[in-house]
């Protein structure tokens, strides 16, 4: 909640009170950040085509379906177990899930890029590839905007110290996030439907299951957010 007029700023409650950068200063945090930064390069240097294709499938499916899409429900407390968390904690969980999901998705896209290079095939020729590239860029830019708000635009200065604010609310960011996640799930469905290693019935069935699962995870929260409209204020 915002402070009443004239009141001194209160310290942020929850895990951000010591400052968001503190987690990255720990050995575990630094190692995780380094691994995330190096993962796409390490995948690109790989030369095993089957492993690269597997990394593309797993990275996209797990990154988007298991992390990015569920992260859209975290801030509203609609992901199981998240309602009991403070808004700051939900913001940290949301950001962590998105970061992990995007890392896997980037690894998956780098893997298929390298795989096509090894086979001498052109890039971005299918509808799946084009929608996937568009969705990837959309997700990255939306996440960048969210990170910028958390660390700078909506950060708070308390007792002379800048503190990251994970509890801010921004309706355009939410709506854009839903759109990016829907585009990514559509790219996955197109990829499954065009997978020549599967029978036509298997492709159609798996693509339908993926589309329905994405709709179940995304649509209810998206409808609530969009129908409610922009909040009266942003934290």
């Amino acid at each position: 909640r915002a402070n009443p007029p004239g009141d001194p700023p209160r310290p942020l409650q929850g895990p951000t009170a010591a400052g968001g950068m503190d987690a990255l200063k720990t050995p575990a945090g630094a190692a995780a950040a380094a691994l995330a930064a190096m993962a796409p390069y390490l995948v690109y240097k790989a030369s095993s085509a089957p492993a690269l294709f597997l990394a593309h499938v797993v990275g996209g499916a797990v990154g988007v379906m298991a992390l990015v899409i569920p992260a859209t429900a975290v801030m509203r407390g609609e992901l199981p177990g998240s309602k009991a968390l403070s808004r700051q904690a939900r913001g940290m969980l949301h950001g962590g899930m998105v970061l992990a999901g995007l890392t896997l998705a980037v690894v998956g896209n780098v893997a298929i890029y390298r795989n096509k290079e090894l086979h001498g095939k052109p890039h971005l020729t299918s509808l799946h590839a084009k929608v996937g590239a568009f969705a990837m860029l959309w997700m990255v830019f939306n996440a960048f905007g969210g990170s910028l708000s958390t660390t700078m635009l909506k950060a708070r200065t308390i007792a002379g110290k800048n503190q990251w604010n994970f509890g801010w609310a921004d309706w355009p960011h939410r709506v854009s996030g839903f759109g990016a996640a829907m585009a990514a799930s559509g790219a996955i469905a197109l990829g499954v439907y065009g997978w020549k290693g599967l029978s036509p019935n298997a492709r159609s069935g798996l693509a339908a299951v993926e589309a329905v699962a994405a709709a179940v995870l995304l649509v209810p929260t998206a409808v609530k957010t969009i129908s409610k409209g922009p909040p009266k204020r942003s934290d």
Side-chain angles (χ1 to χ4, degrees), residues 13-235:
Q13 299 298 313
T16 60
M21 283 296 293
D22 290 349
L24 296 179
K25 294 177 182 178
T26 64
L35 180 61
M38 292 176 58
Y41 173 76
L42 295 175
V43 169
Y44 181 78
K45 296 301 290 185
S47 58
S48 172
L52 288 169
F53 184 76
L54 180 63
H56 173 66
V57 174
V58 174
V62 175
V64 173
M65 297 300 294
L67 290 168
V68 172
I69 289 180
T72 61
V74 167
M75 289 306 293
R76 293 178 62 92
E78 295 178 353
L79 189 72
S82 63
K83 191 171 184 179
L85 300 174
S86 69
R87 184 169 183 82
Q88 292 287 328
R90 291 202 303 269
M92 291 190 72
L93 178 60
H94 169 79
M97 291 176 68
V98 170
L99 178 60
L102 286 183
T103 299
L104 288 174
V106 168
V107 166
N109 278 273
V110 170
I112 200 62
Y113 184 93
R114 177 61 172 164
N115 186 55
K116 288 199 171 188
E117 278 191 343
L118 293 176
H119 287 88
K121 294 183 178 181
H123 302 288
L124 299 176
T125 56
S126 66
L127 182 60
H128 160 65
K130 293 173 182 176
V131 174
F134 172 75
M136 187 74 250
L137 290 174
W138 191 352
M139 289 191 294
V140 168
F141 278 114
N142 197 61
F144 177 76
S147 300
L148 195 63
S149 291
T150 299
T151 59
M152 296 180 63
L153 299 181
K154 297 180 185 292
R156 300 178 181 182
T157 301
I158 298 177
K161 183 177 180 180
N162 183 66
Q163 294 189 5
W164 291 3
N165 178 17
F166 286 91
W168 58 273
D170 185 75
W171 192 74
H173 173 74
R174 289 181 182 178
V175 174
S176 177
F178 288 127
M182 288 177 182
S185 65
I188 293 174
L190 287 170
V192 173
Y193 186 74
W195 193 346
K196 296 180 180 179
L198 301 175
S199 68
N201 288 338
R203 285 184 289 170
S204 300
L206 286 175
V209 168
E210 189 278 336
V212 170
V216 169
L217 290 169
L218 278 171
V219 172
T221 304
V223 169
K224 289 179 184 178
T225 298
I226 295 172
S227 61
K228 188 176 180 180
K232 294 182 180 179
R233 64 176 179 80
S234 294
D235 293 331

